[in-house]
Amino acid sequence: MSDNLITTDSSEVLDLPAPNEGEEGTVQAPVAAKTAVARWYAVQVASSCEKKVKATLEQRAVTLGVSNRILEIEIPQTPAVKVKKDGSRQSTEEKVFPGYVLVRMVLDEDTMMAVRSTPNVINFVGAEDRRATGKARGHIKPRPLSRSEVDRIFKRAAEKKAVVKVDLTEGDQIVVTGGPFKDFQGEVIEVSGERNKLKALLSIFGRETPVELEFSQISKQN
């Protein structure tokens, strides 16, 4: 993966460009003198540990005396609706960038150490500072997100339209629980979460026929 890219489960890619011209924030090695400028940084964490990292880092910032420089820790999320196997719905939230948390902080040696030493943190997103010999991997230099990138991330997280997540995939066996095809059984051939519908092959008059169904009209068979 490129040092400047974040790749999500849905194959969507977030480009983290260098700071806008004239902005401060990129740290060279050794670390530059402390600055009062707080910037947003992306931090890669272990899978499904985003909330745990957020809670732990908030506590550690206080314990280590850097809570005045680690100012915000966010996990951008959007509303989602999960359709269960029985057709019932559950309101939930979906992470915009699974495996990453965003931290607004004043970057210095103390705050970097606080973040990097937090359990389940992998590293900052940034550029690799290669060693002079070229024989070993260098350290990652944290690269701040630009203003436009931050605006784009939080604008997406603020979208109110819920994403529908259904516990169904192609090849699953279902039974129709409502509508004109009630009690028919079939196999899922297409799932369309944004439309709350799926297509399934049902045996009608002895022939397998593709039929479009609402999520609420079906139940997944074990």
Side-chain angles (χ1 to χ4, degrees):
M1 180 176 68
S2 171
D3 292 323
N4 294 339
L5 298 180
I6 291 177
T7 304
T8 69
D9 291 339
S10 58
S11 298
E12 181 175 353
V13 175
L14 167 63
D15 184 17
L16 299 183
N20 294 337
E21 185 175 357
E23 291 183 349
E24 301 180 51
T26 302
V27 174
Q28 304 295 332
V31 177
K34 292 183 180 180
T35 173
V37 177
R39 300 291 305 276
W40 283 102
Y41 297 85
V43 178
Q44 186 179 11
V45 304
S47 178
S48 302
C49 290
E50 297 90 352
K51 291 183 179 180
K52 185 181 297 185
V53 167
K54 173 179 166 67
T56 303
L57 183 53
E58 287 173 343
Q59 294 174 353
R60 284 170 54 77
V62 174
T63 302
L64 298 174
V66 293
S67 58
N68 63 331
R69 284 168 282 158
I70 296 181
L71 305 176
E72 294 181 72
I73 305 165
E74 295 292 341
I75 306 169
Q77 299 181 109
T78 56
V81 176
K82 183 177 181 179
V83 181
K84 298 182 178 180
K85 295 178 182 180
D86 60 2
S88 62
R89 294 177 171 232
Q90 176 185 3
S91 295
T92 182
E93 290 184 318
E94 183 179 58
K95 300 177 184 68
V96 175
F97 300 111
Y100 294 86
V101 299
L102 302 184
V103 183
R104 188 168 75 88
M105 57 187 280
V106 175
L107 194 69
D108 59 35
E109 290 181 348
D110 294 334
T111 56
M112 278 199 298
M113 180 60 67
V115 173
R116 283 177 168 152
S117 61
T118 297
N120 298 303
V121 165
I122 297 174
N123 211 334
F124 285 91
V125 172
E128 185 179 352
D129 183 18
R130 295 187 179 276
R131 300 184 186 280
T133 61
K135 295 181 179 180
R137 294 180 63 84
H139 295 288
I140 296 296
K141 296 186 295 185
R143 176 171 293 182
L145 281 67
S146 68
R147 295 189 190 96
S148 60
E149 194 63 52
V150 172
D151 291 343
R152 184 159 66 92
I153 291 171
F154 285 104
K155 180 179 179 181
R156 177 176 174 183
E159 292 177 353
K160 300 300 182 182
K161 185 177 180 180
V163 176
V164 177
K165 305 293 289 184
V166 61
D167 187 21
L168 288 168
T169 58
E170 294 180 16
D172 284 343
Q173 300 298 311
I174 55 100
V175 59
V176 183
T177 58
F181 300 104
K182 184 177 180 180
D183 297 329
F184 278 72
Q185 297 181 8
E187 178 181 327
V188 176
I189 58 174
E190 183 181 323
V191 178
S192 180
E194 67 277 8
R195 298 175 57 235
N196 295 338
K197 294 182 179 181
L198 60 80
K199 284 184 180 180
L201 287 177
L202 304 183
S203 180
I204 303 174
F205 303 126
R207 298 181 59 184
E208 288 192 333
T209 304
V211 175
E212 189 172 72
L213 301 164
E214 303 278 350
F215 289 158
S216 58
Q217 293 179 311
I218 63 94
S219 177
K220 184 177 178 180
Q221 291 185 308
N222 295 328

